[in-house]
Amino acid sequence: MSEAQKWHALQGVEALRVLESDKDQGLTTEVAQGRLETYGYNELKERPPISFWQRLWEQLTGFIVLILIVAAIISAALGDWIEAIVIMAIVVLNAAVGIIQESKAEEALAALKKMAAPEAHVLRDGHRIVVPSRELVPGDIVLLEAGNVVPADLRLLESMNLKIEEASLTGESLPVNKHAEETLSEEASLGDRRNSAYMSTLISYGRGTGLVVATGMQTEIGNIAEMLQSFEEEQTPLQRKLDQLGKMLGIASLIICGLVFLVGLVRDPSFSVLLTDGLAAYFAVAKDTIVELFMIAVGLAIAAVPEGLAAIVTVCLALGMREMVNRHALIRRLPAVETLGSATVICSDKTGTLTQNEMTVVRAWAAGREYEITGKGYEPKGNFLSDKVEVNVEDHPVLAQTLWAGLLCNDAVLEKDERVVGGYRMVGDPTEGSLVVAAAKAGYWTDRFTQLFPRVSEIPFDSDRKRMTTIHDVQKAAEVHPDLYPTNEAYYAAVVKGAPDLVLDQCAMMRTEAGLVPLTPAQREEIMGANAAMASQALRVLAVAYRPLASVPEEPTPEDVERDLVFVGLLGMIDPARQEVVPAVRKARGAGLRTIMVTGDYAATAEAIGREIGILRPEGRVISGQTLEEMSDEQLQEEISSIDVFARVAPNHKVRIVEALRARDHVVAMTGDGVNDAPALKRADIGVAMGITGTDVSKQAADMVLTDDNYVSIVSAIEQGRIIYSNIRKFVYFLISCNMAEIAIIFIATLLGWPSPLTVIQLLWLNLLSDGAPALALGLEKGDPDIMERAPRPPKEPVINRDMIAGVVVQTVAITAAVLLAYWRGMTAFAAQAGSDPTRTAETMAFVTLVLSELLRAYTARSERLPLLKLGVFSNKWMQYAVGFSIVLLLVVVYVPFLQPIFNTIPLNLEEWTLILPLILIPSLAAEMQKVLSRK
């Protein structure tokens, strides 16, 4: 088989000959197996999965992690094995958590993809069988019915009223009429190939037979999937900012370490030997001093780098991912949890995301009267209202006839299905389905009416006529329900539905409450006025009519049947907005998030929905895909701030919309479900795929998959993303302020000529355990109550912004002052006591003061803006557990005898505790005072 074969340019029999297949028998089992070995499985090949070693390498090459590894190596080389082991344990823990969480995300998506894998009905050895679509091969004969997903690229051999929804591939929002008998030119575009069907598209109407001509990566979808392999993954804003933070901390720590080392050397009395006798002599006499200063420098490096930061960020994001799943959002990449929180624009599809994706008849017009029909979705429950007053359909015979005419001229089926919301699902064309549901609300059901009015013939819908006709035997109906169809009219009836203007052109009579009357120009004008009124409300309008027939032609034609019709009524339908979307759009706007509708529907429909749900602002604009096509990239960038709705947009336009928004420094969340949406999903900061209606390709390209296809879930995920980012800022603020204070404590003590108040093992214990638990508790905060009342943070704002820097400075000064004061008191107050070790006493007092002041400081870090009393001291139960755990650890290393030599501590008495307790309050009071001054 030639990959370049233009199958749409061949007749069906020629295609069968080329592929050596038989229309009636299909392939034999042996031939199919041989071709499967030749062509491979009918599935899209993806990039090879990331191996364990690749994931491990990614986890170990972060700047902070590299600094920790170097510190561990140096500590081991100097014989400090405990420090080295603890540091490497943290590195391994961080890598393990990251690998596990990313793997779980991929497994979840794989499970979702597996659920969507379709089966195919094929002819093999002359028998109709069902096989997994992945086992299809070129030459297979596939049987197609409404509701099926096309399992491979096909050259159609037969088509009976066949319509295929190809929006996922071509962006065409309406189902495409297929005609197997046509032979097209080789140059026919993909959207114009009416004799072909393509993998992953949906059959919405009719039935047919197709010859498999391409499978797997040779399909049209495969071509797009292969193109997507060239897209490189970009770092999310959080990844970039944490990398920036890590490099900044690393460079700062190296500079400070070098400075302390040099200051210590200069202050050493032996330094003069270097100046007089040279480097070798100096090393000989000052070796111990150099090693001691080097260990102080290593301690500074450990103090500067928050060892637990990477692990806590990973755990926080993992917990955020779990919460996202509860909010119907599956995150494919761990750092992408946060990126949604920085979004400034949501570009959302209309159908299914902002609307219910369930066409619903909401208006009817019959005998000069307009009716409102209530209810939602496919659930056949609702009322009929005239002038806001509920009416009985049986008392309005023309309305009744309008409903049953729409039901009869119809191939859709409403089925009970307890697995779906509302308990019903629709099989067939959504527009026809809405007519079935409207009739069911009046008590007219398909089963009963097909018995009363058995179909004897039909004239399929044609895109030129824009009409469909079914012919029914009405004798039984006339006997059982003479009010529905009077016996004096005829034995048969041709029921017609279609575009109002074209149906009305074929009408000569009109059904009124008084009976049949000739259709006058005034009545025609009235009908078209009613049609225009419905259309102005963004309703899709269909007209229904009928013609009594004495007999049925053997092969009815439109010219013979669709004339001298009796006009009955109009039915107006719409895909209604989700009720929960309106408050969600309002909530997003309050959060400074702009929502843009990007849809393939007509401008009038998009505008009406946009106004109804609040997306379209009073000054906002609606532009069509054609207008977009005529705009340059520069012009689009200039005007995009005023455009709220893009209508009749093809999927390839989405990339331009994303690019224009990003050029204006927006962080863009773009939704999509089709194959052609995949490039835009890749290019957006956050690609959001539909989990229910989305194709596998779009899900693979996206960062997030909505399991309910609902706009509300996007807003909810953004809220959770903001909470996660806010929590990350809180514990980064907490950890950095603590670590900067630790640097200042050692640095100032060195400048003063004091021994280091803190040992390396104390710093590790503090950073990894005592600080780590409260930091993790900060990551579990529920979020400030006004989190969705703030404007999005500037996309380029660093994690540590100006406000946080000011807070870090205040906390550094407060904690450093408290600890050095405790150390000084320990050195002086107990120096003269017999049997005391003032140095160990002072170090223990400094260590205890530092731990407790940081633990109390964690409570104030729970909000950057709100005072602790307003939040509630005990409202975060995890903080109570974390602080309690850390206090127990502190008491263990102070009072357990065999740990005291390791941590260089001694038991503190009541007098020493009395000196410490007032000092530990200083940092918390400073933090709360800073919040008050900041608000003022």
Side-chain angles (χ1 to χ4, degrees):
M1 181 183 68
S2 170
E3 295 182 9
Q5 179 70 61
K6 305 292 187 181
W7 297 103
H8 56 275
L10 298 180
Q11 292 183 353
V13 291
E14 293 178 294
L16 286 166
R17 180 177 51 79
V18 172
L19 289 173
E20 299 178 358
S21 184
D22 187 281
K23 176 183 175 183
D24 300 317
Q25 297 295 316
L27 299 175
T28 64
T29 302
E30 293 75 17
V31 169
Q33 185 60 39
R35 293 189 181 183
L36 186 62
E37 295 175 2
T38 301
Y39 296 110
Y41 284 112
N42 176 37
E43 56 189 7
L44 302 181
K45 293 181 175 60
E46 304 170 12
R47 289 177 177 173
I50 299 176
S51 68
F52 169 80
W53 299 109
Q54 288 173 307
R55 293 187 189 275
L56 181 61
W57 177 255
E58 290 176 359
Q59 296 293 329
L60 296 179
T61 51
F63 197 82
I64 292 178
V65 175
L66 290 176
I67 289 179
L68 292 177
I69 292 174
V70 171
I73 293 172
I74 293 174
S75 296
L78 295 175
D80 294 318
W81 291 102
I82 295 177
E83 289 90 335
I85 291 171
V86 172
I87 294 172
M88 289 308 300
I90 285 299
V91 171
V92 172
L93 175 64
N94 173 62
V97 171
I99 291 171
I100 290 171
Q101 290 300 328
E102 289 187 5
S103 299
K104 283 185 177 179
E106 292 299 329
E107 289 171 6
L109 187 77
L112 189 64
K113 176 181 176 182
K114 185 176 181 180
M115 290 171 57
E119 294 179 326
H121 294 258
V122 301
L123 288 177
R124 292 269 178 91
D125 300 310
H127 300 289
R128 176 172 177 163
I129 63 173
V130 178
V131 301
S133 64
R134 68 192 298 264
E135 295 180 9
L136 289 179
V137 295
D140 262 326
I141 304 299
V142 178
L143 307 175
L144 306 172
E145 295 178 350
N148 291 165
V149 173
V150 178
D153 282 5
L154 311 175
R155 171 57 170 93
L156 294 174
L157 303 176
E158 292 180 350
S159 58
M160 177 61 71
N161 302 332
L162 187 62
K163 297 181 185 178
I164 299 182
E165 171 61 64
E166 295 185 338
S168 64
L169 188 64
T170 66
E172 174 59 48
S173 62
L174 296 177
V176 178
N177 292 285
K178 296 295 183 176
H179 304 283
E181 68 280 1
E182 290 190 17
T183 303
L184 306 173
S185 68
E186 291 190 359
E187 292 73 27
S189 65
L190 189 63
D192 293 330
R193 297 175 189 173
R194 295 183 297 275
N195 60 9
S196 301
Y198 294 98
M199 186 176 181
S200 89
T201 57
L202 177 67
I203 300 171
S204 60
Y205 192 83
R207 60 185 184 274
T209 304
L211 171 69
V212 175
V213 296
T215 59
M217 295 301 287
Q218 302 304 316
T219 62
E220 292 293 337
I221 283 184
N223 294 336
I224 296 176
E226 190 169 0
M227 176 189 70
L228 288 175
Q229 305 297 323
S230 62
F231 280 85
E232 296 296 329
E233 298 287 349
E234 290 188 4
Q235 283 190 318
T236 67
L238 180 62
Q239 287 175 310
R240 292 192 291 266
K241 290 168 184 175
L242 288 180
D243 282 350
Q244 179 185 8
L245 173 61
K247 291 175 182 178
M248 181 186 73
L249 291 175
I251 293 170
S253 68
L254 293 177
I255 293 173
I256 294 173
C257 290
L259 185 60
V260 168
F261 186 75
L262 290 176
V263 169
L265 289 179
V266 173
R267 292 177 59 89
D268 180 36
S270 304
F271 187 71
S272 59
V273 177
L274 176 64
L275 302 177
T276 57
D277 300 334
L279 188 61
Y282 175 65
F283 278 147
V285 299
K287 180 180 178 181
D288 292 341
T289 300
I290 294 173
V291 171
E292 181 182 353
L293 288 172
F294 188 79
M295 286 307 299
I296 292 175
V298 171
L300 271 174
I302 293 172
V305 178
E307 290 87 346
L309 178 60
I312 293 171
V313 168
T314 302
V315 172
C316 184
L317 290 174
L319 294 173
M321 176 184 287
R322 186 179 66 181
E323 180 62 25
M324 290 288 189
V325 171
N326 294 336
R327 297 183 181 221
H328 306 290
L330 173 65
I331 302 297
R332 297 189 62 239
R333 292 187 300 122
L334 201 56
V337 175
E338 175 274 337
T339 311
L340 263 176
S342 65
T344 58
V345 175
I346 303 171
C347 292
S348 175
D349 285 326
K350 178 185 75 67
T351 304
T353 307
L354 297 170
T355 62
Q356 299 174 18
N357 197 22
E358 295 177 342
M359 291 295 288
T360 306
V361 175
V362 295
R363 292 282 189 278
W365 186 94
R369 178 179 293 185
E370 184 176 290
Y371 300 88
E372 179 184 354
I373 305 174
T374 65
K376 60 182 181 179
Y378 292 141
E379 188 176 9
K381 294 181 181 179
N383 299 315
F384 293 79
L385 309 176
S386 178
D387 295 327
K388 306 298 182 182
V389 178
E390 185 175 347
V391 299
N392 185 347
V393 174
E394 298 296 333
D395 296 333
H396 297 259
V398 184
L399 171 62
Q401 192 172 26
T402 300
L403 294 172
W404 65 251
L407 176 64
L408 290 174
C409 189
N410 203 309
D411 288 324
V413 177
L414 182 66
E415 296 181 346
K416 286 190 70 69
D417 189 341
E418 299 300 332
R419 297 171 298 177
V420 300
V421 177
Y424 289 85
R425 73 182 184 97
M426 185 60 61
V427 179
D429 183 80
T431 299
E432 290 198 331
S434 68
L435 303 181
V436 174
V437 175
K441 290 176 181 177
Y444 304 152
W445 292 88
T446 301
D447 292 344
R448 185 166 68 92
F449 267 68
T450 52
Q451 293 176 1
L452 287 174
F453 298 88
R455 186 186 300 188
V456 296
S457 188
E458 64 183 87
I459 303 174
F461 177 86
D462 181 87
S463 56
D464 295 327
R465 290 169 32 247
K466 295 184 179 180
R467 295 188 298 273
M468 172 185 176
T469 297
T470 55
I471 302 176
H472 304 264
D473 185 329
V474 299
Q475 296 178 69
K476 185 174 182 180
E479 296 172 2
V480 177
H481 285 286
D483 54 325
L484 289 181
Y485 200 86
T487 54
N488 60 353
E489 292 195 350
Y491 295 114
Y492 300 94
V495 184
V496 182
K497 78 171 188 298
D501 53 341
L502 298 180
V503 170
L504 192 59
D505 286 344
Q506 306 303 318
C507 291
M509 305 288 287
M510 177 179 175
R511 170 71 70 179
T512 69
E513 299 289 358
L516 294 181
V517 298
L519 193 60
T520 65
Q523 289 170 328
R524 291 180 185 274
E525 187 175 338
E526 182 183 10
I527 292 170
M528 292 310 297
N531 173 55
M534 289 188 191
S536 68
Q537 301 171 31
L539 301 184
R540 183 180 182 188
V541 187
L542 291 179
V544 291
Y546 74 96
R547 181 188 173 195
L549 297 174
S551 62
V552 180
E554 188 171 326
E555 292 187 6
T557 64
E559 292 75 18
D560 292 335
V561 176
E562 296 174 351
R563 58 184 176 82
D564 299 326
L565 302 178
V566 178
F567 182 85
V568 181
L570 301 173
L571 293 165
M573 64 209 67
I574 195 170
D575 181 9
R578 293 178 180 264
Q579 293 181 347
E580 66 273 22
V581 164
V582 176
V585 169
R586 192 181 306 119
K587 183 178 183 179
R589 180 170 291 122
L593 279 161
R594 184 171 165 224
T595 304
I596 298 176
M597 183 193 296
V598 183
T599 178
D601 278 334
Y602 288 98
T605 302
E607 180 176 353
I609 292 293
R611 291 197 187 281
E612 178 184 351
I613 63 181
I615 286 179
L616 186 58
R617 300 166 295 177
E619 72 280 6
R621 297 169 55 200
V622 179
I623 73 167
S624 67
Q626 182 178 355
T627 304
L628 176 62
E629 195 73 42
E630 296 169 356
M631 298 172 70
S632 65
D633 291 341
E634 293 74 16
Q635 186 180 3
L636 179 59
Q637 291 173 20
E638 287 294 323
E639 299 185 20
I640 199 163
S641 59
S642 65
I643 303 172
D644 291 335
V645 176
F646 289 90
R648 299 299 287 169
V649 171
N652 59 298
H653 291 148
K654 288 187 174 183
V655 175
R656 291 191 62 201
I657 295 171
V658 170
E659 294 284 6
L661 288 167
R662 293 188 64 175
R664 301 297 295 267
D665 293 328
H666 284 291
V667 177
V668 184
M670 169 66 79
T671 68
D673 55 8
V675 175
N676 275 4
D677 289 333
L681 296 179
K682 275 279 191 180
R683 192 70 189 102
D685 296 284
I686 284 289
V688 183
M690 302 296 109
I692 299 174
T693 60
T695 60
D696 287 342
V697 175
S698 66
K699 293 171 189 174
Q700 289 294 333
D703 302 284
M704 182 176 85
V705 179
L706 296 183
T707 58
D708 63 351
D709 291 10
N710 196 333
Y711 169 87
V712 175
S713 297
I714 304 176
V715 177
S716 182
I718 287 175
E719 180 178 11
Q720 183 63 24
R722 287 191 175 190
I723 292 173
I724 292 170
Y725 186 80
S726 175
N727 289 347
I728 289 174
R729 275 181 55 88
K730 291 169 187 175
F731 64 67
V732 167
Y733 184 12
F734 170 70
L735 290 176
I736 297 302
S737 61
C738 292
N739 284 42
M740 291 301 101
E742 293 161 16
I743 292 174
I745 290 166
I746 297 176
F747 183 63
I748 293 175
T750 302
L751 292 179
L752 294 174
W754 295 354
S756 175
L758 301 167
T759 66
V760 171
I761 193 66
Q762 286 175 347
L763 289 171
L764 282 170
W765 184 266
L766 180 68
N767 289 352
L768 303 180
L769 298 175
S770 294
D771 286 351
L776 186 56
L778 288 172
L780 296 174
E781 282 287 331
K782 295 180 180 178
D784 291 354
D786 62 347
I787 193 78
M788 288 298 280
E789 297 173 11
R790 307 174 194 168
R793 66 183 182 276
K796 295 181 180 179
E797 179 184 74
V799 175
I800 302 180
N801 60 8
R802 186 167 55 186
D803 292 339
M804 188 184 290
I805 290 173
V808 168
V809 171
V810 170
Q811 285 302 300
T812 299
V813 172
I815 295 174
T816 302
V819 173
L820 289 180
L821 187 58
Y823 183 75
W824 173 75
R825 291 290 290 160
M827 289 289 290
T828 57
F830 306 104
Q833 292 184 6
S836 68
D837 183 349
T839 302
R840 288 189 66 185
T841 300
E843 288 181 356
T844 304
M845 290 178 65
F847 178 56
V848 171
T849 301
L850 180 59
V851 172
L852 292 180
S853 64
E854 290 183 354
L855 291 179
L856 291 181
R857 156 76 183 122
Y859 281 94
T860 68
R862 290 178 52 208
S863 175
E864 296 181 53
R865 303 168 62 249
L866 301 179
L868 178 59
L869 293 178
K870 185 172 182 179
L871 283 176
V873 177
F874 303 107
S875 57
N876 182 349
K877 66 177 181 178
W878 302 108
M879 185 62 72
Q880 321 313 320
Y881 300 150
V883 171
F885 172 71
S886 297
I887 290 176
V888 170
L889 290 178
L890 173 64
L891 297 177
V892 165
V893 300
V894 172
Y895 289 101
V896 174
F898 75 88
L899 292 176
Q900 290 168 358
I902 297 176
F903 289 92
N904 201 37
T905 59
I906 62 170
L908 298 180
N909 58 34
L910 182 60
E911 183 182 359
E912 292 155 354
W913 276 106
T914 304
L915 290 172
I916 288 172
L917 291 179
L919 298 176
I920 66 176
L921 297 173
I922 294 175
S924 298
L925 293 174
E928 290 298 290
M929 185 63 67
Q930 185 184 15
K931 291 180 186 179
V932 173
L933 295 175
S934 177
R935 288 198 304 274
K936 288 184 177 180

